[in-house]
Amino acid sequence: MENFEQKLKKLEELTQDIKRSDISLEDALKDFEEGMKLSSGMEEELNRIEGKIQILMSEPNPMTKDNKPVMDDFVDDSEVIGTRK
């Protein structure tokens, strides 16, 4: 799976492609649909990241080696850094 920066670059490329004066309506529609799917997935990813940030910001004690934040509500245990199922 591509990382967020790669997805953003692809979305920018699709946007530039749609702006071309010589693009067919079919190709523009295809690029638009791909861009909408891509942006929807990116929005979900940003919302997930925002949730993690809010958890970190609301911790009563600063995060330390021994006091790691719990994010079980947002990710599968296997996605938490350093853990595996």
Side-chain angles (χ1 to χ4, degrees):
M1 178 57 85
E2 296 175 307
N3 68 30
F4 190 85
E5 290 79 12
Q6 291 170 322
K7 291 175 186 176
L8 183 58
K9 184 176 182 195
K10 177 65 176 175
L11 188 57
E12 290 170 348
E13 289 170 1
L14 290 169
T15 301
Q16 290 303 313
D17 196 37
I18 289 172
K19 292 179 181 180
R20 287 187 4 239
S21 61
D22 63 337
I23 191 169
S24 70
L25 184 58
E26 262 184 37
D27 287 341
L29 180 58
K30 181 180 144 193
D31 286 351
F32 180 78
E33 287 175 323
E34 184 179 351
M36 291 301 295
K37 288 177 187 176
L38 194 55
S39 67
S40 177
M42 292 169 69
E43 183 177 13
E44 289 175 13
E45 187 174 349
L46 285 174
N47 288 337
R48 185 175 43 81
I49 291 168
E50 182 181 11
K52 288 181 181 182
I53 290 171
Q54 287 177 355
I55 289 172
L56 293 171
M57 297 295 290
S58 66
E59 283 289 313
N61 300 318
M63 189 174 76
T64 63
K65 184 178 181 181
D66 298 325
N67 181 33
K68 296 181 181 176
V70 177
M71 293 184 242
D72 293 337
D73 294 339
F74 295 96
V75 295
D76 184 63
D77 290 341
S78 64
E79 293 178 1
V80 176
I81 296 172
T83 63
R84 300 211 187 261
K85 280 190 170 184

